[in-house]
Amino acid sequence: MELLYLMILCSVSLAVIFLIIFIYNARKGQFDDDESPAVRILLDKDNPDERDEQEEEKIKKEKIISD
């Protein structure tokens, strides 16, 4: 029974430590914008004019294939 109390104490202590670390990082802004950096690389346009022309050509090709 004493071992059970020790295990509960250890698990609650560990949970409190993780909670403190999470709150600390949330206040520092670690979790403010976690999705856009991963998506930004996919939407990166070196030259928007070229990219738009390529997208238009791709759309035209898709229309031709679907017809």
Side-chain angles (χ1 to χ4, degrees), residues 30-66:
Q30 182 72 26
F31 306 110
D32 283 347
D33 189 15
D34 60 340
E35 187 173 335
S36 71
V39 175
R40 191 178 307 140
I41 189 86
L42 299 174
L43 303 175
D44 188 24
K45 294 184 178 181
D46 294 331
N47 189 348
D49 295 333
E50 288 180 8
R51 182 68 65 148
D52 291 338
E53 290 173 3
Q54 291 173 354
E55 288 175 2
E56 287 176 6
E57 289 176 9
K58 184 178 178 182
I59 291 171
K60 288 179 184 177
K61 287 180 183 178
E62 289 176 356
K63 285 182 180 179
I64 292 171
I65 292 173
S66 65

Side-chain angles (χ1 to χ4, degrees), residues 17-32:
I17 289 170
F18 282 128
L19 180 65
I20 290 170
I21 292 171
F22 174 76
I23 291 171
Y24 172 75
N25 286 325
R27 287 189 179 177
K28 274 182 60 177
Q30 182 72 26
F31 306 110
D32 283 347

